[in-house]
Amino acid sequence: ETGVTQTPRHLVMGMTNKKSLKCEQHLGHNAMYWYKQSAKKPLELMFVYNFKEQTENNSVPSRFSPECPNSSHLFLHLHTLQPEDSALYLCASSPGASGSREQFFGPGTRLTVL
Amino acid sequence: SQELEQSPQSLIVQEGKNLTINCTSSKTLYGLYWYKQKYGEGLIFLMMLQKGGEEKSHEKITAKLDEKKQQSSLHITASQPSHAGIYLCGADIITGTASKLTFGTGTRLQVTL
């Protein structure tokens, strides 16, 4: 247990569906991250939130919409995804978003887009 | 080209043997992190290195950051089946006045009996 939980662990959705991924951290951290991990590609940083404010958006398509209502919760809203969006989506948290960024990761959500 | 290059991409070693994984960048690394990942699961933090020449150990795993802060190595002594998994290096790479968090492609380690 890393102190970061993600739900659901597995998700299958059609291209016209709307779904949301949830991440929760119990570590008292101030920064939270969404990553995409595809086969044979480096881990891709998608979004960074620090004290509930988005500080990084790495050219992520608008069909991915993040939401951070507080420092402990992070959501990723999914809408009209493409099959190439199928991947493992990882959430992480760290004490802060600058300086040393030792991150703690959740177990991930395995997403399949049909 | 990748900003962080890991080598080798995969490794099969016999139980009890030593092994080394490398992580290299052409740019200065502000912070270097090593993680281990079981297939399809989240990353487990292993170690963080920040100072040039720094070396840290945890059980049978030792990580070093070179003096120039552009290369790190992860060394496992007397490997065990429990060491099997994917090892990833991540780093804050200095770009201009900011730092960018980047990961390598990972090294898949198998330990045979």
Side-chain angles (χ1 to χ4, degrees), chain B residues 92-105:
Chain B
D92 282 304
I93 295 180
I94 297 173
T95 54
T97 57
S99 67
K100 178 182 172 184
L101 189 56
T102 304
F103 282 81
T105 51

Side-chain angles (χ1 to χ4, degrees), chain A residues 61-93:
Chain A
S62 60
R63 57 186 183 269
F64 294 92
S65 174
E67 178 189 1
C68 189
N70 54 63
S71 293
S72 299
H73 294 85
L74 184 65
F75 296 89
L76 188 63
H77 303 299
L78 315 173
H79 178 50
T80 59
L81 295 192
Q82 303 299 311
E84 59 264 30
D85 296 322
S86 299
L88 182 68
Y89 287 84
L90 293 162
C91 171
S93 70

Side-chain angles (χ1 to χ4, degrees), chain A:
Chain A
E1 287 293 329
T2 61
V4 181
T5 58
Q6 287 186 247
T7 54
R9 292 294 308 276
H10 300 273
L11 179 62
V12 179
M13 59 186 289
M15 288 190 285
T16 58
N17 291 158
K18 289 184 182 180
K19 296 287 184 182
S20 295
L21 309 185
K22 179 183 176 181
C23 176
E24 184 174 359
Q25 58 97 358
H26 310 274
L27 302 167
H29 289 167
N30 297 312
M32 296 188 78
Y33 310 76
W34 277 118
Y35 287 90
K36 177 184 179 182
Q37 188 175 39
S38 305
K40 299 186 179 180
K41 292 177 71 174
L43 201 58
E44 298 173 57
L45 180 63
M46 300 173 71
F47 302 102
V48 181
Y49 277 82
N50 194 31
F51 291 98
K52 303 188 298 179
E53 299 297 322
Q54 187 179 119
T55 57
E56 286 186 49
N57 176 340
N58 288 306
S59 304
V60 181
S62 60
R63 57 186 183 269
F64 294 92
S65 174
E67 178 189 1
C68 189
N70 54 63
S71 293
S72 299
H73 294 85
L74 184 65
F75 296 89
L76 188 63
H77 303 299
L78 315 173
H79 178 50
T80 59
L81 295 192
Q82 303 299 311
E84 59 264 30
D85 296 322
S86 299
L88 182 68
Y89 287 84
L90 293 162
C91 171
S93 70
S94 67
S98 60
S100 109
R101 292 201 270 187
E102 175 188 337
Q103 295 178 58
F104 293 78
F105 283 78
T109 295
R110 172 70 62 185
L111 174 66
T112 303
V113 182
L114 302 177

Side-chain angles (χ1 to χ4, degrees), chain B residues 9-79:
Chain B
Q9 289 187 0
S10 63
L11 195 54
I12 302 174
V13 300
Q14 192 174 23
E15 183 178 3
K17 298 294 186 183
N18 303 334
L19 64 107
T20 300
I21 299 169
N22 294 301
C23 179
T24 304
S25 173
S26 58
K27 300 178 181 177
T28 302
L29 308 174
Y30 178 76
L32 189 288
Y33 313 88
W34 281 103
Y35 291 88
K36 179 185 175 185
Q37 184 180 28
K38 292 285 189 183
Y39 179 73
E41 297 182 10
L43 281 65
I44 303 298
F45 173 79
L46 295 176
M47 275 174 275
M48 175 180 71
L49 304 166
Q50 286 190 294
K51 300 176 182 176
E54 187 175 7
E55 178 176 324
K56 287 187 178 179
S57 293
H58 177 66
E59 296 180 344
K60 295 184 178 180
I61 301 176
T62 301
K64 300 178 185 179
L65 182 61
D66 74 337
E67 290 289 346
K68 288 186 179 179
K69 296 174 64 175
Q70 289 184 298
Q71 183 173 22
S72 178
S73 61
L74 185 83
H75 184 78
I76 299 177
T77 303
S79 58

